[in-house]
Amino acid sequence: GQTANAGTAEVKGVEADLTIAATETLTLSASMSYIDATIAEDYSRSTTGTPVDSPAGTRLAQIPKLKWFASARQEFDVSGMNGFAQATLSHTGNSYNDFFTASREKQSSYTIANFSAGLDEEDWSLTLFANNIFDKRAEMYRNSIDYDSRITTNRPRSFTLRFSKRF
């Protein structure tokens, strides 16, 4: 995309988050945002005002209307050690890659799931992570300005084992 001073934008929205200790060992969390971000007046790169590159009401680039996140974390005892398992799910709604209506393309929405489990003791921890467990190729950014169109995606499914020691 390009950076341009487009004058008046109108952004209306709502954000919310909630965390519930469902039990002594289960925590549920969720958050969401709904943002309606548009240009409030016609925009033209030309000093004459024509042609209009982005008419009033055009959605701003790179701003999805809807995003949400949910997680569940269960803590439990594993042979006298502190164990846990956590699952997360995040969604990003569709957005446009550019502000100028003649060249813009819609970027698809996507939902990503992650999982982690491990042991967390006073001076050490061991955690297994499974990120993007359904191996979703999310379209993070579609570059159609340059000579060749390119799509930047998220990371593919990955597994990580992390050991930490606190001194």
Side-chain angles (χ1 to χ4, degrees):
Q2 293 179 330
T3 302
N5 187 352
T8 307
E10 212 172 77
V11 180
K12 297 176 183 175
V14 63
E15 295 179 347
D17 64 81
L18 175 68
T19 300
I20 297 172
T23 69
E24 261 188 44
T25 60
L26 176 63
T27 304
L28 304 173
S29 299
S31 62
M32 64 77 61
S33 68
Y34 177 85
I35 300 172
D36 185 16
T38 59
I39 185 79
E41 57 191 36
D42 290 351
Y43 174 76
S44 174
R45 289 176 276 189
S46 167
T47 57
T48 65
T50 57
V52 173
D53 295 301
S54 299
T58 299
R59 274 178 64 187
L60 297 180
Q62 302 298 326
I63 302 176
K65 282 190 174 186
L66 179 66
K67 290 182 84 169
W68 56 261
F69 173 84
S71 72
R73 181 180 176 96
Q74 179 69 54
E75 296 178 353
F76 46 85
D77 180 74
V78 179
S79 299
M81 295 182 286
N82 301 316
F84 69 90
Q86 178 170 304
T88 65
L89 194 62
S90 63
H91 175 80
T92 300
N94 67 47
S95 63
Y96 288 95
N97 70 325
D98 201 337
F99 180 64
F100 305 116
T101 56
S103 59
R104 70 196 266 159
E105 296 179 53
K106 188 178 273 191
Q107 299 174 153
S108 300
S109 63
Y110 56 91
T111 303
I112 303 293
N114 301 310
F115 178 79
S116 62
L119 300 170
D120 192 9
E121 287 297 293
E122 186 176 318
D123 63 344
W124 64 271
S125 66
L126 180 67
T127 308
L128 173 66
F129 297 92
N131 293 318
N132 191 8
I133 58 178
F134 298 115
D135 206 22
K136 172 70 176 172
R137 291 296 189 270
E139 192 173 294
M140 309 300 283
Y141 180 65
R142 179 182 292 259
N143 180 349
S144 57
I145 298 293
D146 297 325
Y147 174 73
D148 59 337
S149 183
R150 294 181 300 251
I151 296 173
T152 302
T153 63
N154 62 320
R155 291 181 178 182
R157 179 187 309 125
S158 65
F159 299 95
T160 305
L161 182 62
R162 180 178 67 198
F163 176 77
S164 299
K165 174 77 174 148
R166 292 179 277 283
F167 297 96

